[in-house]
Amino acid sequence: MSNEQRSGLSFTSPLAGEVAERSEAGGGVSFAKRPLPNPPPQAGEEMERSAQGEREHTEQAAKKRKQQPRRDKRDVHGWVVLDKPTGMTSTHAVAVIRRLFSAKRAGHAGTLDPLATGCLPIALGEATKTVPFIMDSTKTYRFTVRWGEERDTDDSEGRVVEVSDARPTAEQIEAILPRFTGAILQTPPRYSAIKIDGERAYDIARDGEVVELQPREVEIDRLDLIEMPDPGHAVFETDCGKGTYVRALARDFGRLLGCKGHVSALRRTCVGPFGEDEMISLEQLEALCDRAAAGEASLADALWPVETALDDIPALAVNRSDAARLQRGQAVILRGRDAPILEGLVYVTVAGELIALAETGQGQIVPKRVFNLAGLTGSAGKEKGM
């Protein structure tokens, strides 16, 4: 039958009669317009509706977060000398300080192991330009060595790899210390942040691969045995330079003495100009933030000025005209009989405010790093005349 012939035929649904009968029985109410009950959801439909509900909930939560006011980041310049608690990574500590100050920029001046406590200088804002000067400065550590076990991390968090029943005497320990002072070659721990072909050594070690690190020259200015609280432990203090690993010292002490050893406690007491007196605990800092929010204190009291990191560098004061040139990156000629005779790196100030790090020589000042200290700046130590 052709399409034309089909279109000319009338078609009656087999349900038409049933619908008419029910309509008459129902008092003239049309059955066709009566709402039908929803069929029970199939398993796939139920999962889809559940997923859709989760998406809607997530979208609503995201909208609420967007509607909540965000704390604006601000310009904060100076040093926070954190007394880092044990168990916290240096990276986490920086994140916490940055959040407390709502600072735009932050960074630390030398990693402190999670196991360790003590001095962690954290630079905010323009102070980050002076981080290399703190990293290159002398550091002081007080640490405890536990004899009888060598561990793969060279501290108490690692796996025991060798043991010994021998215990050294104070005289035996004192006898080897001169071999670890001055310029020495030291092999860093396998679990360290040193990069090997772009990967951190500790990541390679955690993957079970063999880590081969080459000895490096480090400088140890002082190394003293402080006490031996019991035959299994000894407490030391050391002043050392950049790149020295205290964990490696403990490992090498144990090997040389034939008794094995690892660091069981470690505290950094000083980094460059920052010592115990300059440190502030996380609890003290959080309390200060609460008082500052109530208008009872200032966060500047916990910030050390940017130039504190430059204590070992000569200062040079200039007039405002010369300061303006230096801040534009232009050199300044030193003229007249009263011109300072300086050679090398200086930090430049105007009216007591840091404006630049510069090289002096051949009668001129050439700016190397320029500082813009607009915003919150550090005032800690100023009442002491520092």
Side-chain angles (χ1 to χ4, degrees):
M1 182 181 291
S2 66
N3 290 335
E4 290 82 359
Q5 289 173 317
R6 286 196 181 100
S7 63
L9 296 176
S10 62
F11 176 75
T12 302
S13 168
L15 296 177
E18 183 180 344
V19 169
E21 291 175 4
R22 293 186 180 182
S23 177
E24 291 174 3
V29 179
S30 172
F31 175 77
K33 295 182 180 179
R34 190 177 297 169
L36 296 172
N38 290 327
Q42 301 298 314
E45 294 175 356
E46 187 69 30
M47 292 176 63
E48 184 177 344
R49 289 178 188 175
S50 176
Q52 182 178 357
E54 290 180 6
R55 286 195 297 270
E56 291 175 354
H57 177 75
T58 302
E59 290 172 1
Q60 291 173 0
K63 287 180 181 178
K64 287 182 180 180
R65 285 196 298 270
K66 288 181 180 179
Q67 291 170 358
Q68 292 175 353
R70 294 181 61 184
R71 296 178 66 183
D72 292 332
K73 299 296 183 184
R74 58 178 177 168
D75 292 313
V76 183
H77 313 294
W79 287 91
V80 175
V81 188
L82 181 66
D83 188 348
K84 189 189 81 66
T86 187
M88 175 180 277
T89 67
S90 299
T91 301
H92 183 202
V94 170
V96 170
I97 299 302
R98 184 178 181 183
R99 175 180 57 80
L100 289 175
F101 281 84
S102 299
K104 291 181 178 178
R105 288 183 294 158
H108 64 72
T111 301
L112 197 55
D113 291 340
L115 171 73
T117 66
C119 188
L120 181 65
I122 297 175
L124 301 178
E126 293 290 87
T128 56
K129 296 178 180 179
T130 64
V131 163
F133 296 95
I134 297 298
M135 292 189 72
D136 289 342
S137 61
T138 300
K139 301 169 182 66
T140 301
Y141 294 92
R142 186 181 183 97
F143 61 102
T144 301
V145 177
R146 179 184 174 186
W147 308 116
E149 292 180 350
E150 182 172 318
R151 303 199 175 200
D152 57 0
T153 59
D154 298 320
D155 61 22
S156 59
E157 295 183 335
R159 177 177 56 87
V160 176
V161 292
E162 288 191 62
V163 296
S164 172
D165 292 329
R167 298 293 181 267
T169 64
E171 292 75 17
Q172 289 172 324
I173 294 172
E174 293 278 8
I176 69 166
L177 294 186
R179 299 177 62 172
F180 293 92
T181 54
I184 67 168
L185 286 178
Q186 183 185 74
T187 301
R190 290 181 295 166
Y191 286 82
S192 63
I194 294 173
K195 286 190 174 181
I196 303 173
D197 296 330
E199 282 192 84
R200 299 288 185 187
Y202 53 68
D203 287 330
I204 300 173
R206 285 170 186 157
D207 290 338
E209 298 182 37
V210 177
V211 178
E212 294 291 344
L213 293 171
Q214 297 301 313
R216 304 185 307 171
E217 185 174 293
V218 296
E219 187 74 31
I220 298 179
D221 300 321
R222 178 178 68 91
L223 180 58
D224 296 326
L225 173 64
I226 303 302
E227 62 175 334
M228 294 184 67
D230 57 64
H233 296 82
V235 180
F236 300 85
E237 273 191 5
T238 183
D239 297 333
C240 53
K242 179 181 179 181
T244 304
Y245 280 91
V246 173
R247 287 181 290 145
L249 284 176
R251 177 201 66 206
D252 294 342
F253 289 170
R255 290 178 180 178
L256 188 58
L257 291 165
C259 61
K260 308 304 176 185
H262 65 271
V263 169
S264 61
L266 173 62
R267 180 170 178 80
R268 189 158 67 189
T269 59
C270 184
V271 179
F274 302 124
E276 296 274 9
D277 291 341
E278 289 73 46
M279 293 187 215
I280 185 169
S281 70
L282 202 53
E283 293 76 16
Q284 290 173 319
L285 194 55
E286 288 171 340
L288 178 63
C289 287
D290 290 339
R291 295 201 303 273
E296 301 171 356
S298 171
L299 286 177
D301 295 337
L303 274 176
W304 290 84
V306 174
E307 59 268 29
T308 311
L310 309 175
D311 278 357
D312 293 336
I313 301 173
L316 175 63
V318 298
N319 58 39
R320 294 195 179 277
S321 175
D322 288 343
R325 287 184 60 86
L326 291 169
Q327 288 182 311
R328 292 194 298 268
Q330 300 171 336
V332 169
I333 304 299
L334 296 171
R335 298 185 179 89
R337 292 180 306 171
D338 297 329
I341 303 174
L342 292 172
E343 293 285 339
L345 190 66
V346 298
Y347 75 87
V348 184
T349 65
V350 59
E353 180 179 317
L354 175 67
I355 61 167
L357 275 169
E359 289 283 350
T360 58
Q362 298 180 345
Q364 62 178 351
I365 310 170
V366 181
K368 296 299 181 182
R369 301 300 297 266
V370 175
F371 297 90
N372 178 11
L373 299 183
L376 178 68
T377 57
S379 63
K382 289 188 177 179
E383 67 276 6
K384 301 177 184 178
M386 295 180 69

